[in-house]
Amino acid sequence: MKRRIQWVLLLMVVCTLGVVGLQLFWSYQSYRTASQEFTRDINEALQEATRQEQDARRKEILQQYRGWLADTNLVKITCRLDPIYQNTKFYLADKHPWAPEKREPFTIGFAHFIQKLPKITPAAKAYFIQHFTKDLVWENLQEGSLYFYTKQLGDKMEEAYTQNRLNPTRLKKLFQQQLQQREITAGFDLILEKQPLNGKSGHSYATRAYNVSLRQPEQLVRAYFPDPNLVFLQRMKWIIGSSLLLIATAIFCFGYTLQTLFRQKKLAELKNDFVNNMTHELKTPVATISLAAEAIQEFDLSKASADEYVGIIRQQSGRLSGLIDQILKSVALEQESVALEKKSICLQELVTSVLAQHKPQLELVAATVETQFTPERLVVTADELHLGNVLATLLDNALKYRKNQLQLRLSLYRQAGNALLEISDNGLGIAPEHQAKVFEKFYRVPSGDVHNVKGYGLGLSYAQALAERHGGTLTLRSQLGIGTTFTLSIPLAPHEAPTPVVA
């Protein structure tokens, strides 16, 4: 059985470690995935933000370009009907051409312009400006190229390129929007660089560098994040939380199972010890009764001798009956099938009554008893019989585990709505390592299967359970070789006016 439990424990340890290991590995893999996703997302966000910021500046230049085309003092736009292809050709030239340059007007036709015009009209001019800038100029802006459709338009375009600068505030706002779309709320810094960098002092995590210039030379920008681990943790909070919960659950179940196994093992040992002691306890009265009955049956005894043997049989049968009764009461109390007939009881009177019942045993060992009762009546709502049994059990314990002359002190007083009874003796005492266990069923301070003091390990367990059924507590203080004090606390009956005890 012991070897089987060891194998079960070993398998449980392996399974628990396996579950914990798998959870940790899964969490690590999730962390790596979150790290990769974070790197990808911040780079994609910055790339998209720089593209949108560049497009915004391109649109600003495009709007300027349309203004230049509409300025009749700068350029002139004409058209005529192509005699061969019978479509309208548009011509673009400077209003005041540069003399040294012999430049032909820029000519273009639009396939989707179906009107056949011999000369330009306001509508045709507007159409030309709109589609010329939308198709050709926008393509040049995206390529970052400079095309001189006319000398003056080229010069103005070059100047616009030169004066056009990155708008950091707009880029930051666009970048924030892109991060929010990807559920990233970490703080960042946007740093402009002329050349790609491998890192930035004071920052621990950076994106790739992206160009924000509309044409050469490049102007690069990076986003730096001080502590991306916070982002990883935020993204993984549910995964980490569930993993920790599963790990904690596995460890709790493992610990609880171990505790249960050890408790069952301990209980089995206590029961074996109880059975061994009970066997000794049962053999003696049974053997005595058997011998007495045999003597009465087989020998011609005088009436006095027969009465003596009958007395022995009665005494031993009473002993057996008491043992069986104590076991049955303990089992019944454990199953809470004991019905308590509660009523108002004066504790001073109950303690005095129990002491009177134990007077012969106390006188037999020449015990001295000191009582210290509060002058007011302490009334509790309790079952008189069972509460009396609790007091009797505590007195029996003092008698069993005495040394030399027994000295008993019983103190009864009120404290915070409870009646407290302290029973102190000068007996053997209990070692600290056993004090918390003496209230457990079947537990006796270890001494093998032979006990000088007869008992079954049920008395204190029964007494504490009854105290708790009355809403109270039973505790002890003890020093080995000096003595033990049991403290019984029972709630006082409500609305009971304090009255002095009548002597």
Side-chain angles (χ1 to χ4, degrees), residues 141-181:
L141 287 169
Q142 287 185 317
E143 294 172 353
S145 60
L146 176 60
Y147 193 88
F148 282 76
Y149 296 103
T150 73
K151 177 70 169 60
Q152 292 194 40
L153 286 175
D155 290 342
K156 283 192 171 292
M157 190 65 167
E158 186 172 21
E159 183 182 359
Y161 269 133
T162 303
Q163 294 179 350
N164 188 271
R165 292 286 184 271
L166 170 69
N167 187 331
T169 302
R170 178 166 57 194
L171 178 59
K172 184 176 182 180
K173 182 178 180 180
L174 291 170
F175 187 44
Q176 283 178 331
Q177 291 174 354
Q178 292 298 319
L179 291 177
Q180 288 173 359
Q181 291 177 12

mmCIF file of all heavy atoms in Angstrom, residues 141-181:
data_model
loop_
_atom_site.group_PDB
_atom_site.id
_atom_site.type_symbol
_atom_site.label_atom_id
_atom_site.label_comp_id
_atom_site.label_asym_id
_atom_site.label_seq_id
_atom_site.Cartn_x
_atom_site.Cartn_y
_atom_site.Cartn_z
ATOM 1 N N LEU A 141 4.915 63.829 -58.184
ATOM 2 C CA LEU A 141 5.067 64.022 -56.741
ATOM 3 C C LEU A 141 5.313 62.700 -56.029
ATOM 4 O O LEU A 141 6.116 62.624 -55.078
ATOM 5 C CB LEU A 141 3.827 64.718 -56.169
ATOM 6 C CG LEU A 141 3.667 66.198 -56.489
ATOM 7 C CD1 LEU A 141 2.268 66.680 -56.097
ATOM 8 C CD2 LEU A 141 4.728 67.027 -55.770
ATOM 9 N N GLN A 142 4.609 61.665 -56.420
ATOM 10 C CA GLN A 142 4.812 60.361 -55.792
ATOM 11 C C GLN A 142 6.196 59.797 -56.089
ATOM 12 O O GLN A 142 6.783 59.115 -55.254
ATOM 13 C CB GLN A 142 3.726 59.381 -56.252
ATOM 14 C CG GLN A 142 2.360 59.661 -55.632
ATOM 15 C CD GLN A 142 1.341 58.606 -55.996
ATOM 16 O OE1 GLN A 142 1.271 58.182 -57.166
ATOM 17 N NE2 GLN A 142 0.555 58.182 -55.034
ATOM 18 N N GLU A 143 6.692 60.067 -57.277
ATOM 19 C CA GLU A 143 8.034 59.591 -57.636
ATOM 20 C C GLU A 143 9.126 60.469 -57.046
ATOM 21 O O GLU A 143 10.298 60.078 -57.020
ATOM 22 C CB GLU A 143 8.176 59.553 -59.148
ATOM 23 C CG GLU A 143 7.275 58.525 -59.827
ATOM 24 C CD GLU A 143 7.314 58.651 -61.350
ATOM 25 O OE1 GLU A 143 7.946 59.617 -61.833
ATOM 26 O OE2 GLU A 143 6.733 57.794 -62.033
ATOM 27 N N GLY A 144 8.754 61.664 -56.601
ATOM 28 C CA GLY A 144 9.749 62.589 -56.100
ATOM 29 C C GLY A 144 10.572 63.204 -57.214
ATOM 30 O O GLY A 144 11.708 63.635 -56.995
ATOM 31 N N SER A 145 9.994 63.261 -58.402
ATOM 32 C CA SER A 145 10.710 63.794 -59.570
ATOM 33 C C SER A 145 10.274 65.233 -59.851
ATOM 34 O O SER A 145 9.203 65.666 -59.421
ATOM 35 C CB SER A 145 10.466 62.919 -60.797
ATOM 36 O OG SER A 145 9.071 62.877 -61.094
ATOM 37 N N LEU A 146 11.108 65.930 -60.591
ATOM 38 C CA LEU A 146 10.829 67.325 -60.965
ATOM 39 C C LEU A 146 10.836 67.422 -62.493
ATOM 40 O O LEU A 146 11.866 67.194 -63.136
ATOM 41 C CB LEU A 146 11.879 68.258 -60.368
ATOM 42 C CG LEU A 146 11.782 69.728 -60.750
ATOM 43 C CD1 LEU A 146 10.440 70.305 -60.303
ATOM 44 C CD2 LEU A 146 12.936 70.517 -60.153
ATOM 45 N N TYR A 147 9.668 67.745 -63.046
ATOM 46 C CA TYR A 147 9.548 67.809 -64.502
ATOM 47 C C TYR A 147 9.186 69.239 -64.888
ATOM 48 O O TYR A 147 8.215 69.796 -64.378
ATOM 49 C CB TYR A 147 8.474 66.832 -64.990
ATOM 50 C CG TYR A 147 8.490 66.599 -66.477
ATOM 51 C CD1 TYR A 147 9.282 65.611 -67.039
ATOM 52 C CD2 TYR A 147 7.719 67.404 -67.327
ATOM 53 C CE1 TYR A 147 9.312 65.389 -68.418
ATOM 54 C CE2 TYR A 147 7.747 67.196 -68.698
ATOM 55 C CZ TYR A 147 8.536 66.194 -69.239
ATOM 56 O OH TYR A 147 8.559 66.003 -70.607
ATOM 57 N N PHE A 148 9.979 69.790 -65.787
ATOM 58 C CA PHE A 148 9.757 71.163 -66.242
ATOM 59 C C PHE A 148 8.796 71.141 -67.428
ATOM 60 O O PHE A 148 9.223 71.096 -68.596
ATOM 61 C CB PHE A 148 11.086 71.818 -66.646
ATOM 62 C CG PHE A 148 11.917 72.273 -65.477
ATOM 63 C CD1 PHE A 148 12.628 71.362 -64.713
ATOM 64 C CD2 PHE A 148 11.986 73.613 -65.141
ATOM 65 C CE1 PHE A 148 13.382 71.775 -63.648
ATOM 66 C CE2 PHE A 148 12.749 74.038 -64.067
ATOM 67 C CZ PHE A 148 13.449 73.131 -63.307
ATOM 68 N N TYR A 149 7.497 71.144 -67.150
ATOM 69 C CA TYR A 149 6.530 71.251 -68.251
ATOM 70 C C TYR A 149 6.656 72.629 -68.902
ATOM 71 O O TYR A 149 6.485 72.760 -70.111
ATOM 72 C CB TYR A 149 5.116 71.023 -67.727
ATOM 73 C CG TYR A 149 4.928 69.610 -67.191
ATOM 74 C CD1 TYR A 149 4.915 69.365 -65.819
ATOM 75 C CD2 TYR A 149 4.789 68.550 -68.063
ATOM 76 C CE1 TYR A 149 4.758 68.091 -65.329
ATOM 77 C CE2 TYR A 149 4.638 67.252 -67.575
ATOM 78 C CZ TYR A 149 4.630 67.023 -66.203
ATOM 79 O OH TYR A 149 4.480 65.762 -65.740
ATOM 80 N N THR A 150 6.931 73.641 -68.079
ATOM 81 C CA THR A 150 7.363 74.951 -68.550
ATOM 82 C C THR A 150 8.471 75.395 -67.618
ATOM 83 O O THR A 150 8.627 74.856 -66.510
ATOM 84 C CB THR A 150 6.223 75.988 -68.530
ATOM 85 O OG1 THR A 150 5.954 76.358 -67.187
ATOM 86 C CG2 THR A 150 4.964 75.469 -69.197
ATOM 87 N N LYS A 151 9.240 76.371 -68.065
ATOM 88 C CA LYS A 151 10.350 76.842 -67.241
ATOM 89 C C LYS A 151 9.854 77.399 -65.915
ATOM 90 O O LYS A 151 10.384 77.070 -64.850
ATOM 91 C CB LYS A 151 11.111 77.927 -68.023
ATOM 92 C CG LYS A 151 12.275 78.569 -67.258
ATOM 93 C CD LYS A 151 13.399 77.578 -67.091
ATOM 94 C CE LYS A 151 14.660 78.276 -66.581
ATOM 95 N NZ LYS A 151 14.482 78.929 -65.297
ATOM 96 N N GLN A 152 8.834 78.229 -65.923
ATOM 97 C CA GLN A 152 8.361 78.853 -64.699
ATOM 98 C C GLN A 152 7.683 77.850 -63.776
ATOM 99 O O GLN A 152 7.847 77.887 -62.548
ATOM 100 C CB GLN A 152 7.412 80.012 -65.027
ATOM 101 C CG GLN A 152 8.127 81.188 -65.697
ATOM 102 C CD GLN A 152 7.274 82.443 -65.700
ATOM 103 O OE1 GLN A 152 6.603 82.740 -64.715
ATOM 104 N NE2 GLN A 152 7.314 83.172 -66.814
ATOM 105 N N LEU A 153 6.924 76.897 -64.347
ATOM 106 C CA LEU A 153 6.307 75.860 -63.521
ATOM 107 C C LEU A 153 7.365 74.982 -62.875
ATOM 108 O O LEU A 153 7.264 74.583 -61.701
ATOM 109 C CB LEU A 153 5.340 75.006 -64.346
ATOM 110 C CG LEU A 153 4.005 75.645 -64.736
ATOM 111 C CD1 LEU A 153 3.220 74.721 -65.659
ATOM 112 C CD2 LEU A 153 3.171 75.974 -63.504
ATOM 113 N N GLY A 154 8.427 74.664 -63.601
ATOM 114 C CA GLY A 154 9.508 73.862 -63.034
ATOM 115 C C GLY A 154 10.221 74.571 -61.913
ATOM 116 O O GLY A 154 10.552 73.982 -60.880
ATOM 117 N N ASP A 155 10.475 75.905 -62.111
ATOM 118 C CA ASP A 155 11.140 76.659 -61.053
ATOM 119 C C ASP A 155 10.286 76.712 -59.782
ATOM 120 O O ASP A 155 10.799 76.566 -58.661
ATOM 121 C CB ASP A 155 11.428 78.072 -61.550
ATOM 122 C CG ASP A 155 12.522 78.091 -62.625
ATOM 123 O OD1 ASP A 155 13.256 77.090 -62.717
ATOM 124 O OD2 ASP A 155 12.601 79.093 -63.366
ATOM 125 N N LYS A 156 8.995 76.970 -59.978
ATOM 126 C CA LYS A 156 8.109 77.041 -58.809
ATOM 127 C C LYS A 156 8.002 75.678 -58.119
ATOM 128 O O LYS A 156 7.923 75.593 -56.883
ATOM 129 C CB LYS A 156 6.730 77.552 -59.230
ATOM 130 C CG LYS A 156 6.692 79.061 -59.463
ATOM 131 C CD LYS A 156 5.287 79.536 -59.583
ATOM 132 C CE LYS A 156 5.246 81.064 -59.580
ATOM 133 N NZ LYS A 156 5.622 81.621 -58.279
ATOM 134 N N MET A 157 8.003 74.621 -58.918
ATOM 135 C CA MET A 157 7.920 73.286 -58.335
ATOM 136 C C MET A 157 9.175 72.968 -57.515
ATOM 137 O O MET A 157 9.109 72.422 -56.418
ATOM 138 C CB MET A 157 7.734 72.240 -59.431
ATOM 139 C CG MET A 157 7.407 70.854 -58.916
ATOM 140 S SD MET A 157 5.804 70.832 -58.084
ATOM 141 C CE MET A 157 5.529 69.077 -57.945
ATOM 142 N N GLU A 158 10.311 73.377 -58.031
ATOM 143 C CA GLU A 158 11.570 73.154 -57.316
ATOM 144 C C GLU A 158 11.577 73.942 -56.006
ATOM 145 O O GLU A 158 12.010 73.443 -54.951
ATOM 146 C CB GLU A 158 12.743 73.558 -58.192
ATOM 147 C CG GLU A 158 14.090 73.208 -57.569
ATOM 148 C CD GLU A 158 15.229 73.437 -58.551
ATOM 149 O OE1 GLU A 158 15.063 74.197 -59.518
ATOM 150 O OE2 GLU A 158 16.302 72.820 -58.334
ATOM 151 N N GLU A 159 11.099 75.145 -56.048
ATOM 152 C CA GLU A 159 11.023 75.970 -54.841
ATOM 153 C C GLU A 159 10.052 75.359 -53.826
ATOM 154 O O GLU A 159 10.318 75.366 -52.616
ATOM 155 C CB GLU A 159 10.587 77.386 -55.221
ATOM 156 C CG GLU A 159 10.545 78.339 -54.036
ATOM 157 C CD GLU A 159 10.055 79.724 -54.435
ATOM 158 O OE1 GLU A 159 9.767 79.942 -55.629
ATOM 159 O OE2 GLU A 159 9.938 80.590 -53.534
ATOM 160 N N ALA A 160 8.916 74.833 -54.347
ATOM 161 C CA ALA A 160 7.947 74.195 -53.445
ATOM 162 C C ALA A 160 8.543 72.978 -52.769
ATOM 163 O O ALA A 160 8.346 72.740 -51.565
ATOM 164 C CB ALA A 160 6.691 73.816 -54.212
ATOM 165 N N TYR A 161 9.329 72.168 -53.538
ATOM 166 C CA TYR A 161 10.011 71.021 -52.960
ATOM 167 C C TYR A 161 10.968 71.467 -51.848
ATOM 168 O O TYR A 161 11.055 70.856 -50.783
ATOM 169 C CB TYR A 161 10.800 70.265 -54.034
ATOM 170 C CG TYR A 161 10.038 69.149 -54.718
ATOM 171 C CD1 TYR A 161 10.051 69.026 -56.118
ATOM 172 C CD2 TYR A 161 9.344 68.193 -53.987
ATOM 173 C CE1 TYR A 161 9.378 68.009 -56.754
ATOM 174 C CE2 TYR A 161 8.663 67.173 -54.617
ATOM 175 C CZ TYR A 161 8.677 67.074 -56.004
ATOM 176 O OH TYR A 161 8.002 66.056 -56.624
ATOM 177 N N THR A 162 11.679 72.538 -52.123
ATOM 178 C CA THR A 162 12.684 73.011 -51.168
ATOM 179 C C THR A 162 12.037 73.521 -49.884
ATOM 180 O O THR A 162 12.526 73.254 -48.776
ATOM 181 C CB THR A 162 13.528 74.123 -51.808
ATOM 182 O OG1 THR A 162 14.124 73.632 -53.019
ATOM 183 C CG2 THR A 162 14.622 74.589 -50.860
ATOM 184 N N GLN A 163 10.959 74.252 -50.023
ATOM 185 C CA GLN A 163 10.305 74.848 -48.853
ATOM 186 C C GLN A 163 9.424 73.862 -48.096
ATOM 187 O O GLN A 163 9.113 74.087 -46.919
ATOM 188 C CB GLN A 163 9.468 76.055 -49.288
ATOM 189 C CG GLN A 163 10.283 77.209 -49.825
ATOM 190 C CD GLN A 163 9.420 78.363 -50.273
ATOM 191 O OE1 GLN A 163 8.194 78.235 -50.357
ATOM 192 N NE2 GLN A 163 10.050 79.501 -50.585
ATOM 193 N N ASN A 164 9.045 72.791 -48.753
ATOM 194 C CA ASN A 164 8.155 71.834 -48.101
ATOM 195 C C ASN A 164 8.910 71.064 -47.017
ATOM 196 O O ASN A 164 9.993 70.533 -47.268
ATOM 197 C CB ASN A 164 7.573 70.860 -49.131
ATOM 198 C CG ASN A 164 6.495 69.983 -48.518
ATOM 199 O OD1 ASN A 164 6.777 68.931 -47.998
ATOM 200 N ND2 ASN A 164 5.260 70.447 -48.612
ATOM 201 N N ARG A 165 8.364 71.035 -45.805
ATOM 202 C CA ARG A 165 9.015 70.376 -44.672
ATOM 203 C C ARG A 165 8.024 69.419 -43.990
ATOM 204 O O ARG A 165 6.807 69.596 -44.054
ATOM 205 C CB ARG A 165 9.480 71.403 -43.639
ATOM 206 C CG ARG A 165 10.620 72.293 -44.117
ATOM 207 C CD ARG A 165 11.936 71.515 -44.155
ATOM 208 N NE ARG A 165 13.041 72.402 -44.513
ATOM 209 C CZ ARG A 165 13.432 72.658 -45.758
ATOM 210 N NH1 ARG A 165 12.760 72.113 -46.766
ATOM 211 N NH2 ARG A 165 14.465 73.448 -46.002
ATOM 212 N N LEU A 166 8.622 68.448 -43.319
ATOM 213 C CA LEU A 166 7.815 67.507 -42.532
ATOM 214 C C LEU A 166 7.072 68.249 -41.436
ATOM 215 O O LEU A 166 7.628 69.136 -40.782
ATOM 216 C CB LEU A 166 8.715 66.436 -41.910
ATOM 217 C CG LEU A 166 8.081 65.516 -40.872
ATOM 218 C CD1 LEU A 166 7.077 64.583 -41.515
ATOM 219 C CD2 LEU A 166 9.149 64.718 -40.126
ATOM 220 N N ASN A 167 5.810 67.849 -41.222
ATOM 221 C CA ASN A 167 5.016 68.395 -40.119
ATOM 222 C C ASN A 167 5.041 67.362 -38.983
ATOM 223 O O ASN A 167 4.270 66.395 -38.987
ATOM 224 C CB ASN A 167 3.581 68.645 -40.591
ATOM 225 C CG ASN A 167 2.769 69.355 -39.533
ATOM 226 O OD1 ASN A 167 3.013 69.216 -38.340
ATOM 227 N ND2 ASN A 167 1.769 70.119 -39.966
ATOM 228 N N PRO A 168 5.933 67.524 -37.979
ATOM 229 C CA PRO A 168 6.075 66.512 -36.914
ATOM 230 C C PRO A 168 4.790 66.294 -36.129
ATOM 231 O O PRO A 168 4.479 65.156 -35.743
ATOM 232 C CB PRO A 168 7.183 67.083 -36.023
ATOM 233 C CG PRO A 168 7.912 68.059 -36.873
ATOM 234 C CD PRO A 168 6.888 68.628 -37.805
ATOM 235 N N THR A 169 4.037 67.369 -35.877
ATOM 236 C CA THR A 169 2.799 67.225 -35.101
ATOM 237 C C THR A 169 1.801 66.356 -35.839
ATOM 238 O O THR A 169 1.157 65.470 -35.252
ATOM 239 C CB THR A 169 2.190 68.612 -34.833
ATOM 240 O OG1 THR A 169 3.142 69.420 -34.148
ATOM 241 C CG2 THR A 169 0.933 68.494 -33.988
ATOM 242 N N ARG A 170 1.675 66.602 -37.132
ATOM 243 C CA ARG A 170 0.736 65.797 -37.920
ATOM 244 C C ARG A 170 1.195 64.344 -38.001
ATOM 245 O O ARG A 170 0.384 63.418 -37.884
ATOM 246 C CB ARG A 170 0.605 66.400 -39.324
ATOM 247 C CG ARG A 170 -0.321 65.610 -40.242
ATOM 248 C CD ARG A 170 -0.679 66.401 -41.481
ATOM 249 N NE ARG A 170 0.525 66.816 -42.216
ATOM 250 C CZ ARG A 170 0.506 67.746 -43.184
ATOM 251 N NH1 ARG A 170 -0.632 68.351 -43.508
ATOM 252 N NH2 ARG A 170 1.616 68.079 -43.823
ATOM 253 N N LEU A 171 2.502 64.135 -38.192
ATOM 254 C CA LEU A 171 3.020 62.764 -38.262
ATOM 255 C C LEU A 171 2.771 62.029 -36.948
ATOM 256 O O LEU A 171 2.376 60.854 -36.948
ATOM 257 C CB LEU A 171 4.510 62.779 -38.588
ATOM 258 C CG LEU A 171 5.186 61.407 -38.646
ATOM 259 C CD1 LEU A 171 4.531 60.530 -39.704
ATOM 260 C CD2 LEU A 171 6.686 61.534 -38.906
ATOM 261 N N LYS A 172 2.997 62.708 -35.833
ATOM 262 C CA LYS A 172 2.771 62.071 -34.526
ATOM 263 C C LYS A 172 1.304 61.696 -34.348
ATOM 264 O O LYS A 172 0.985 60.608 -33.861
ATOM 265 C CB LYS A 172 3.216 63.021 -33.410
ATOM 266 C CG LYS A 172 3.104 62.423 -32.024
ATOM 267 C CD LYS A 172 3.649 63.365 -30.971
ATOM 268 C CE LYS A 172 3.576 62.749 -29.578
ATOM 269 N NZ LYS A 172 4.104 63.656 -28.540
ATOM 270 N N LYS A 173 0.416 62.599 -34.760
ATOM 271 C CA LYS A 173 -1.015 62.325 -34.632
ATOM 272 C C LYS A 173 -1.423 61.148 -35.510
ATOM 273 O O LYS A 173 -2.174 60.257 -35.082
ATOM 274 C CB LYS A 173 -1.810 63.566 -35.008
ATOM 275 C CG LYS A 173 -3.309 63.418 -34.858
ATOM 276 C CD LYS A 173 -4.037 64.703 -35.199
ATOM 277 C CE LYS A 173 -5.553 64.537 -35.055
ATOM 278 N NZ LYS A 173 -6.268 65.788 -35.398
ATOM 279 N N LEU A 174 -0.919 61.114 -36.744
ATOM 280 C CA LEU A 174 -1.236 60.002 -37.647
ATOM 281 C C LEU A 174 -0.681 58.687 -37.103
ATOM 282 O O LEU A 174 -1.329 57.639 -37.194
ATOM 283 C CB LEU A 174 -0.658 60.285 -39.037
ATOM 284 C CG LEU A 174 -1.319 61.429 -39.808
ATOM 285 C CD1 LEU A 174 -0.516 61.768 -41.058
ATOM 286 C CD2 LEU A 174 -2.756 61.054 -40.201
ATOM 287 N N PHE A 175 0.525 58.747 -36.531
ATOM 288 C CA PHE A 175 1.137 57.545 -35.971
ATOM 289 C C PHE A 175 0.334 57.035 -34.778
ATOM 290 O O PHE A 175 0.113 55.818 -34.625
ATOM 291 C CB PHE A 175 2.574 57.845 -35.567
ATOM 292 C CG PHE A 175 3.355 56.628 -35.141
ATOM 293 C CD1 PHE A 175 3.290 55.438 -35.846
ATOM 294 C CD2 PHE A 175 4.163 56.672 -34.016
ATOM 295 C CE1 PHE A 175 4.016 54.327 -35.458
ATOM 296 C CE2 PHE A 175 4.887 55.568 -33.616
ATOM 297 C CZ PHE A 175 4.815 54.392 -34.340
ATOM 298 N N GLN A 176 -0.117 57.959 -33.936
ATOM 299 C CA GLN A 176 -0.955 57.568 -32.802
ATOM 300 C C GLN A 176 -2.234 56.893 -33.270
ATOM 301 O O GLN A 176 -2.678 55.889 -32.693
ATOM 302 C CB GLN A 176 -1.285 58.793 -31.949
ATOM 303 C CG GLN A 176 -0.149 59.265 -31.055
ATOM 304 C CD GLN A 176 -0.506 60.505 -30.274
ATOM 305 O OE1 GLN A 176 -1.318 61.319 -30.727
ATOM 306 N NE2 GLN A 176 0.101 60.682 -29.108
ATOM 307 N N GLN A 177 -2.841 57.426 -34.318
ATOM 308 C CA GLN A 177 -4.070 56.838 -34.849
ATOM 309 C C GLN A 177 -3.812 55.422 -35.353
ATOM 310 O O GLN A 177 -4.604 54.506 -35.110
ATOM 311 C CB GLN A 177 -4.628 57.718 -35.971
ATOM 312 C CG GLN A 177 -5.173 59.061 -35.498
ATOM 313 C CD GLN A 177 -5.579 59.957 -36.650
ATOM 314 O OE1 GLN A 177 -5.355 59.634 -37.828
ATOM 315 N NE2 GLN A 177 -6.175 61.102 -36.324
ATOM 316 N N GLN A 178 -2.703 55.248 -36.038
ATOM 317 C CA GLN A 178 -2.368 53.910 -36.550
ATOM 318 C C GLN A 178 -2.094 52.930 -35.405
ATOM 319 O O GLN A 178 -2.483 51.759 -35.467
ATOM 320 C CB GLN A 178 -1.140 53.997 -37.468
ATOM 321 C CG GLN A 178 -1.398 54.732 -38.773
ATOM 322 C CD GLN A 178 -2.454 54.043 -39.618
ATOM 323 O OE1 GLN A 178 -2.485 52.815 -39.732
ATOM 324 N NE2 GLN A 178 -3.351 54.838 -40.210
ATOM 325 N N LEU A 179 -1.425 53.414 -34.347
ATOM 326 C CA LEU A 179 -1.162 52.545 -33.189
ATOM 327 C C LEU A 179 -2.459 52.162 -32.488
ATOM 328 O O LEU A 179 -2.640 51.008 -32.073
ATOM 329 C CB LEU A 179 -0.223 53.237 -32.206
ATOM 330 C CG LEU A 179 1.219 53.443 -32.662
ATOM 331 C CD1 LEU A 179 2.003 54.218 -31.606
ATOM 332 C CD2 LEU A 179 1.909 52.122 -32.956
ATOM 333 N N GLN A 180 -3.364 53.141 -32.352
ATOM 334 C CA GLN A 180 -4.640 52.858 -31.698
ATOM 335 C C GLN A 180 -5.451 51.834 -32.475
ATOM 336 O O GLN A 180 -6.132 50.990 -31.885
ATOM 337 C CB GLN A 180 -5.428 54.152 -31.524
ATOM 338 C CG GLN A 180 -4.853 55.084 -30.459
ATOM 339 C CD GLN A 180 -5.538 56.423 -30.423
ATOM 340 O OE1 GLN A 180 -6.448 56.694 -31.213
ATOM 341 N NE2 GLN A 180 -5.095 57.304 -29.525
ATOM 342 N N GLN A 181 -5.386 51.904 -33.812
ATOM 343 C CA GLN A 181 -6.082 50.907 -34.622
ATOM 344 C C GLN A 181 -5.534 49.511 -34.371
ATOM 345 O O GLN A 181 -6.236 48.523 -34.540
ATOM 346 C CB GLN A 181 -5.959 51.257 -36.107
ATOM 347 C CG GLN A 181 -6.729 52.505 -36.518
ATOM 348 C CD GLN A 181 -6.522 52.855 -37.978
ATOM 349 O OE1 GLN A 181 -5.980 52.062 -38.759
ATOM 350 N NE2 GLN A 181 -6.948 54.054 -38.351
#
